[in-house]
Amino acid sequence: MENFNNIYKDKVVLVTGHTGFKGSWLCIWLLELGAKVIGYALEPNSQKDIFVLAQLQDKMVDIRGDIRDINKLKNVFEEYKPEYVFHLAAQPLVRESYEKPSETYEVNVMGTIHVLECIRNTPATKVGVLITTDKCYDNKEQPWGYRENDALGGYDPYSSSKAAAEIAIQSWRNSFMSPVNYEIHQKAIASARAGNVIGGGDWAKDRLIPDCMRAIFSEEEIFIRNPQAIRPWQHVLEPLRGYLKLGEMLTKYPQQYSQAWNFGPTIDSIIPVGELVQKLIHCYGSGKVNCIQEQTLCHEANWLNLDISKSVFKLGWKPILHIDEAIRYTVEWYKQYQKEDCYLLSVKQITNYTDLMMN
């Protein structure tokens, strides 16, 4: 397993949103790297979430808290003094942002600002990796990928809230944690923009893979809306390796890497929703799909793509898994999770994945 030069070993690492899908996988990886992991998040969505099934509450410091509660978050920073912070807590759903636009902004913008303030005011904290989304760009429905210096924007409340979070990160970096003045403040912060992630242990509502797996397990039809929408699909371990690599480089070269970074798949993994579902059904060996063009007032992008050249050439990160391999990893987890220890199952996938990179 890649150890990122052991920079996380015995270090206190805070993960916000640790009960979520990506947060749980990141905590498992950090635990295997020897980190002392602190988690700050709301309750998991269900008892089937990977956080619950992997029994992470027994393997790390598990704190329940709302990212909007600045006083409680400050207390966590003061008590545990994390050296590294990975900020993943968010309201992550486009459709829910239409139902709860104010809450989406409170969580995604003010929550990010609360984390930035805690990083700024905690002497022990040296590195912050703050996760946003590929949807933070002003989407022109263009076939070529967005670069980190392209215009931010967002049609829907979710996307625009993430663009606003990116602006806040840039502002706090320029105002309080500038790379130019690193010798004074000793802090490095970066943002990470990832594409659509898939993987085992995700049971969230209104997300494609969880919806597919629920339908397959119930022997019901898979209903998908907007089957022609094109997305940059990647296995969850791909961007997580990028986040961990970014944390390593921020430690070594804080002034050079305190920037925004894209983490997405190769071009052959940028495929329509309908094609992804057909590949999933083929890999699983069962399932029926019913494509519907849902009539809704909620706008969703039809085409989205990231340019990952900067991460490839400057971070030394690149995707490992082709879309078919990403689906195979995902299906394998869902097929095995009721038969195996879910923590060990996840560790096995992380090990197999990083072995591919080493070969």
Side-chain angles (χ1 to χ4, degrees):
M1 181 183 292
E2 183 183 10
N3 62 16
F4 303 96
N5 288 305
N6 283 318
I7 66 158
Y8 299 108
K9 185 175 176 57
D10 299 324
K11 297 295 195 304
V12 180
V13 182
L14 173 66
V15 178
T16 71
H18 71 290
T19 58
F21 168 53
K22 287 174 72 176
S24 295
W25 274 98
L26 179 59
C27 289
I28 292 170
W29 203 333
L30 284 165
L31 288 167
E32 290 301 301
L33 292 172
K36 301 173 183 177
V37 186
I38 317 297
Y40 183 91
L42 300 176
E43 294 287 338
N45 288 320
S46 77
Q47 292 303 298
K48 294 177 71 175
D49 285 2
I50 184 173
F51 176 84
V52 177
L53 295 177
Q55 300 180 334
L56 285 176
Q57 69 277 4
D58 300 327
K59 298 176 174 67
M60 56 183 287
V61 177
D62 174 29
I63 301 169
R64 293 290 177 272
D66 194 313
I67 203 71
R68 294 171 293 180
D69 187 343
I70 182 63
N71 291 324
K72 185 167 186 177
L73 188 63
K74 282 180 179 178
N75 290 337
V76 171
F77 272 78
E78 289 172 2
E79 179 175 357
Y80 293 99
K81 299 176 176 57
E83 185 169 341
Y84 293 87
V85 175
F86 291 90
H87 173 49
L88 287 83
Q91 191 299 93
L93 301 174
V94 171
R95 284 158 67 88
E96 188 167 323
S97 76
Y98 281 98
E99 300 168 9
K100 302 175 181 177
S102 296
E103 181 178 317
T104 298
Y105 260 72
E106 289 168 6
V107 173
N108 293 349
V109 183
M110 288 309 302
T112 298
I113 290 173
H114 290 165
V115 172
L116 288 165
E117 280 292 271
C118 288
I119 292 173
R120 180 168 79 94
N121 293 308
T122 305
T125 305
K126 303 302 182 185
V127 172
V129 178
L130 299 101
I131 314 307
T132 61
T133 176
D134 57 353
K135 297 177 180 65
C136 68
Y137 293 104
D138 184 15
N139 192 354
K140 306 293 187 183
E141 303 281 350
Q142 64 191 31
W144 52 88
Y146 294 96
R147 294 178 175 175
E148 288 85 348
N149 58 356
D150 281 339
L152 300 171
Y155 186 103
D156 55 87
Y158 168 73
S159 302
S160 60
S161 73
K162 286 297 193 174
E166 283 280 356
I167 293 170
I169 295 166
Q170 183 178 12
S171 173
W172 258 250
R173 181 166 52 229
N174 291 339
S175 301
F176 308 114
M177 293 172 273
S178 169
V180 175
N181 297 319
Y182 176 78
E183 296 302 326
I184 298 173
H185 55 72
Q186 297 283 300
K187 297 180 188 297
I189 59 172
S191 63
R193 306 161 182 176
N196 292 49
V197 296
I198 64 174
D202 188 6
W203 297 100
K205 68 174 185 176
D206 202 25
R207 282 219 286 259
L208 184 62
I209 297 301
D211 287 346
C212 288
M213 299 316 303
R214 277 188 286 266
I216 289 172
F217 287 141
S218 302
E219 297 183 348
E220 298 174 350
E221 283 189 326
I222 301 169
F223 288 93
I224 58 173
R225 63 182 189 274
N226 203 8
Q228 300 306 314
I230 297 171
R231 296 287 184 270
W233 308 100
Q234 58 186 332
H235 192 271
V236 63
L237 296 179
E238 301 272 43
L240 292 187
R241 179 169 55 89
Y243 305 162
L244 291 167
K245 183 66 176 179
L246 181 54
E248 176 192 349
M249 300 307 282
L250 285 167
T251 304
K252 292 179 177 178
Y253 311 105
Q255 292 171 298
Q256 293 96 313
Y257 287 87
S258 294
Q259 307 171 25
W261 301 85
N262 284 343
F263 298 102
T266 54
I267 193 167
D268 53 1
S269 295
I270 304 169
I271 62 173
V273 168
E275 184 178 343
L276 178 80
V277 174
Q278 291 294 349
K279 284 178 177 289
L280 181 75
I281 290 172
H282 177 76
C283 184
Y284 196 88
S286 65
K288 295 180 180 179
V289 64
N290 186 347
C291 297
I292 56 174
Q293 197 66 43
E294 188 177 58
Q295 297 298 313
T296 175
L297 296 176
C298 299
H299 171 272
E300 288 193 78
N302 288 310
W303 189 294
L304 188 57
N305 183 15
L306 291 177
D307 185 324
I308 59 172
S309 302
K310 179 179 168 185
S311 292
V312 171
F313 290 111
K314 292 192 174 183
L315 269 182
W317 171 94
K318 64 180 180 180
I320 297 172
L321 301 178
H322 180 270
I323 183 63
D324 293 329
E325 295 172 309
I327 292 170
R328 181 176 61 80
Y329 269 64
T330 301
V331 167
E332 177 188 72
W333 199 101
Y334 282 108
K335 280 190 169 183
Q336 295 299 123
Y337 86 94
Q338 292 178 310
K339 305 172 187 177
E340 298 186 32
D341 179 300
C342 287
Y343 183 88
L344 296 180
L345 172 60
S346 304
V347 170
K348 181 173 68 175
Q349 289 204 329
I350 293 171
T351 302
N352 290 341
Y353 167 76
T354 54
D355 284 349
L356 285 175
M357 184 189 62
M358 305 300 286
N359 293 333

